[in-house]
C-alpha cells in the first residue's frame, strides 16, 4: 500500500518521520505497516502510535486534537514569508513533523510554506549544492572564514549543530535554518 502524499513533507521515509513498523495505530486501530515517529502535540501520549494515513486524512487531528508542528513555528514566527491559514493547518494538523534541537520552525518562501527535505550535515549540504550551503551560512550569520569553516565542518545530520532543509513548493529555491542543542 503506497503511503499517502504529503505536499509539505514529500519523503517522510527518507527523513525518518515515518518508519516501517507493525504497530497498531492508536487512531484507526489497524496495523498498516508504517508508523509516524515525529513529534505529536496532544493531551494523550501518542509517540510512535499513529499511522501516516490517519495523519494525512486529518483523523488523528480530529480524534486527539493532535498537531505535528507548532503552528507558531510555521514561517518562523514572522521571520520568513507569512503563510495562509489553510496551509498552516495542513502542515500543523495533516503533515508529519520533524524533531529539532530547539522549537521547530518551518521555512516559507513565495508567500507559501516550503516542503521539508530533511536534516542535513556538511556532506548532505554539499550533495544539495551551493544554494543549500549558502542558505544555512546566511542563517548562521557567518561570513566566509575560520568561524564558518569550523561551523560547517561541525554540521551533522544526526548531531549538533544540524541544519533543516526545505524546498519552496512554488519556485524550487532551497532554504532552511540551523540549530544546536
Ligand atoms: Zn491510523
Ligand atoms: Zn519560492
Amino acid at each position: 500500500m503506497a503511503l499517502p502524499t504529503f505536499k509539505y513533507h514529500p519523503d517522510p521515509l527518507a527523513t525518518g518521520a515515518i518508519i516501517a513498523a507493525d504497530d497498531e495505530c492508536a487512531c484507526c486501530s489497524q496495523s498498516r505497516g508504517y508508523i509516524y515517529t515525529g513529534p505529536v502535540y496532544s493531551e494523550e501520549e501518542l509517540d510512535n502510535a499513529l499511522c501516516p494515513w490517519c495523519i494525512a486524512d486529518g483523523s488523528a487531528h480530529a480524534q486527539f486534537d493532535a498537531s505535528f508542528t507548532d503552528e507558531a513555528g510555521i514561517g518562523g514566527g514572522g521571520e520568513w514569508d507569512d503563510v495562509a491559514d489553510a496551509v498552516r493547518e495542513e502542515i500543523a494538523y495533516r503533515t508529519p513533523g520533524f524533531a529539532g534541537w530547539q522549537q521547530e520552525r518551518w521555512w516559507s518562501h513565495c508567500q507559501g510554506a516550503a516542503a521539508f527535505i530533511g536534516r542535513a550535515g556538511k556532506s548532505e549540504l554539499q550533495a544539495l549544492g551551493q544554494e543549500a550551503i549558502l542558505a544555512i551560512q546566511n542563517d548562521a550569520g557567518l561570513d566566509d572564514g575560520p568561524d564558518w569553516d569550523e561551523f560547517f565542518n561541525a554540521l551533522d545530520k544526526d548531531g549538533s549543530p544540524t541544519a533543516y532543509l526545505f524546498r519552496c513548493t512554488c519556485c524550487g529555491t532551497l532554504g532552511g535554518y540551523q540549530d544546536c542543542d
Side-chain angles (χ1 to χ4, degrees):
M1 193 172 184
L3 287 174
T5 300
F6 297 102
K7 177 179 180 182
Y8 298 105
H9 197 150
D11 196 349
L13 289 173
T15 66
I18 289 169
I19 60 166
D22 292 329
D23 304 57
E24 190 176 287
C25 172
C27 186
C28 65
S29 302
Q30 296 181 61
S31 170
R32 303 175 81 169
Y34 293 96
I35 280 290
Y36 170 63
T37 67
V40 184
Y41 303 96
S42 62
E43 290 280 314
E44 264 183 76
E45 170 64 48
L46 291 168
D47 287 351
N48 301 307
L50 296 169
C51 79
W53 290 271
C54 288
I55 295 174
D57 68 9
S59 53
H61 169 68
Q63 185 169 330
F64 300 107
D65 197 23
S67 61
F68 311 102
T69 294
D70 180 10
E71 290 172 71
I74 301 168
E79 182 178 351
W80 303 308
D81 281 20
D82 199 15
V83 171
D85 287 347
V87 172
R88 195 177 294 275
E89 288 172 8
E90 178 170 349
I91 291 174
Y93 304 154
R94 298 193 300 278
T95 299
F98 65 93
W101 289 114
Q102 309 300 327
Q103 180 66 57
E104 295 82 13
R105 294 182 288 152
W106 202 284
W107 192 66
S108 57
H109 198 251
C110 295
Q111 271 82 56
F116 181 62
I117 298 173
R119 287 170 66 137
K122 182 181 182 180
S123 60
E124 290 79 18
L125 285 174
Q126 286 173 325
L128 286 163
Q130 196 60 20
E131 187 181 30
I133 296 170
L134 278 175
I136 298 307
Q137 186 175 2
N138 284 337
D139 183 72
L142 295 170
D143 294 326
D144 284 336
D147 287 351
W148 164 246
D149 291 342
E150 187 181 342
F151 184 85
F152 190 39
N153 284 325
L155 274 172
D156 183 345
K157 178 176 184 276
D158 302 308
S160 168
T162 195
Y164 308 87
L165 264 291
F166 296 81
R167 188 186 307 277
C168 179
T169 55
C170 177
C171 73
T173 293
L174 291 167
Y177 72 98
Q178 47 70 44
D179 72 5
C180 54
D181 66 1

